[in-house]
Amino acid sequence: MNDDSIASLLQQAGSRPEPPGHIASQVRDAVEHGWTKTLEHRRRSRRRYWLAAAATAAAFSVLIPSLVRHRPAAPEDAGIYLASRGTVTITPERDGPATGGKPLPAGARIHTEHDGLMLLANGRMSIRVGPDSDLMLESARQIRLLRGRLYLDSGPSLEEHQPLTVMTSLGSIEHLGTQYQVRMDHDMLSVMVRDGQVRLATPATVQKVDAHEIAEVGATGHVQIRPMSDYGSIWAWTSDLHPDFAIEGRTLAEFLEWFTRETGQRVDYGSAAAQATAASTRLSGSVSGLAPQDALTAVLASTQFTIESSDAGVLRLKVRPPLRDRLRSHANGASAAEPGRPP
């Protein structure tokens, strides 16, 4: 059937009679009620969907932190083991015995016997543990010294240093770019500063201890500060185990700077010319494993310098004459010693 046929039929049918008013009203009410129910159903469906989504999100927000909270955290590294000598015990040891360069976990306890020494690193800080010592690496920023001796060297750089605090039963020590020694013996805490400065805090006071000073804290908490030498027997143990100095390609002046920092001695060149010569003298070889004094002897033997004297913490150097002058002097001396030959 085409469009013309449909139009002809509609014309023949004529217009439909209007329904009575009450019927039209009932139809409109029925249609409006059905449409309202449809919209309400859709709204309820959306509300149930979003409530379910919100409940799921809330469950995840509770579950995820719980999973994170119960996940075992990797233990924090509190230092790096470098070397030890004598009887040294570390507990617990992570993944077997400590070897050079191995991290030590927070909570590790270090015990040394009367023959024991240990060397470790904390960032740029060098830490030496002396004999008859007992301590705990509580974190990368805190060490608790229960008994014994520690020597800490944050290096000669003036850059900002990593914070590190040594805790004891009588007080805490915070370094401020420093070389210092801490001793905890029975009821006496001693803090000896070789270079730089530390902050000493006790229950009664907080004060700074400067270079060339020793602070002593007794059981009463009283702090006494007095001058002390940077060189002597009280420092001797710190040279028994130390970081090596690589001399290859370095100058004699650089080596002597390391030597003085290690021993607390001062170098006296005797003249500006001798100091300039040391700054231009290049070294080669290795002094690995040698004590500072033995390393000094080995290094100077390959240069034109010699030790004139060493006393009261002052190392006096002098420049030897050139080899040809020494040989000539030796030959003249030998000739003069021969009998019957005029001088």
Side-chain angles (χ1 to χ4, degrees):
M1 182 177 293
N2 55 31
D3 292 344
D4 294 339
S5 301
I6 294 173
S8 175
L9 289 174
L10 291 173
Q11 289 177 355
Q12 294 176 11
S15 59
R16 293 184 179 182
E18 290 288 335
H22 68 280
I23 294 178
S25 177
Q26 290 176 1
V27 171
R28 281 196 302 272
D29 291 343
V31 171
E32 183 177 354
H33 178 70
W35 177 245
T36 301
K37 289 184 65 176
T38 300
L39 291 179
E40 181 64 24
H41 177 71
R42 289 180 179 177
R43 281 196 295 268
R44 289 177 179 175
S45 296
R46 290 195 190 100
R47 188 180 299 113
R48 283 195 297 269
Y49 170 80
W50 288 114
L51 287 174
T56 302
F60 272 105
S61 68
V62 172
L63 178 61
I64 291 175
S66 176
L67 291 174
V68 173
R69 188 166 52 248
H70 290 90
R71 180 186 300 167
E76 176 191 8
D77 291 339
I80 302 295
Y81 172 91
L82 298 180
S84 63
R85 183 181 301 169
T87 307
V88 177
T89 305
I90 305 172
T91 53
E93 288 186 319
R94 182 191 295 170
D95 303 326
T99 56
K102 183 176 181 179
L104 298 175
R109 189 161 184 172
I110 299 170
H111 175 78
T112 63
E113 297 291 344
H114 68 280
D115 64 337
L117 293 167
M118 181 174 169
L119 175 66
L120 60 114
N122 183 310
R124 292 190 298 271
M125 175 79 77
S126 166
I127 303 173
R128 304 171 209 189
V129 182
D132 296 311
S133 297
D134 191 7
L135 63 119
M136 182 176 292
L137 305 179
E138 294 188 330
S139 71
R141 297 191 172 189
Q142 185 165 296
I143 297 175
R144 185 168 297 277
L145 179 62
L146 304 173
R147 172 177 57 85
R149 299 176 258 181
L150 283 180
Y151 178 74
L152 302 95
D153 185 352
S154 59
S157 173
L158 297 179
E159 298 177 5
E160 183 178 352
H161 298 284
Q162 176 179 338
L164 181 65
T165 302
V166 177
M167 306 293 295
T168 74
S169 60
L170 295 177
S172 63
I173 306 97
E174 179 186 356
H175 79 95
L176 304 173
T178 327
Q179 282 180 298
Y180 68 106
Q181 182 178 172
V182 180
R183 287 195 174 201
M184 187 67 200
D185 297 317
H186 305 294
D187 293 329
M188 176 65 72
L189 168 64
S190 301
V191 182
M192 293 151 273
V193 182
R194 177 178 265 176
D195 179 62
Q197 195 177 63
V198 301
R199 183 181 292 111
L200 172 63
T202 71
T205 183
V206 176
Q207 53 188 295
K208 292 181 180 179
V209 187
D210 295 317
H212 326 304
E213 290 184 339
I214 176 173
E216 294 176 323
V217 185
T220 62
H222 175 70
V223 180
Q224 180 182 5
I225 299 178
R226 54 186 173 83
M228 76 164 300
S229 173
D230 301 335
Y231 174 74
S233 59
I234 200 168
W235 299 97
W237 74 271
T238 66
S239 295
D240 292 338
L241 187 62
H242 58 83
D244 286 328
F245 180 82
I247 66 170
E248 185 67 37
R250 309 289 288 275
T251 67
L252 176 59
E254 289 176 312
F255 169 79
L256 290 173
E257 182 180 353
W258 169 82
F259 175 83
T260 58
R261 187 170 183 85
E262 281 295 319
T263 64
Q265 290 182 272
R266 182 172 58 85
V267 172
D268 180 6
Y269 288 99
S271 68
Q275 188 170 359
T277 300
S280 62
T281 300
R282 293 284 172 183
L283 305 176
S284 62
S286 173
V287 292
S288 177
L290 295 180
Q293 194 65 46
D294 295 335
L296 175 68
T297 301
V299 165
L300 291 183
S302 65
T303 71
Q304 60 190 107
F305 284 85
T306 186
I307 300 175
E308 184 176 31
S309 66
S310 179
D311 53 5
V314 179
L315 183 69
R316 291 182 172 84
L317 300 179
K318 72 173 183 178
V319 180
R320 291 180 290 187
L323 180 60
R324 62 178 181 274
D325 293 344
R326 281 182 278 147
L327 292 175
R328 185 182 300 115
S329 175
H330 178 73
N332 290 339
S335 298
E338 292 180 15
R341 180 177 295 230

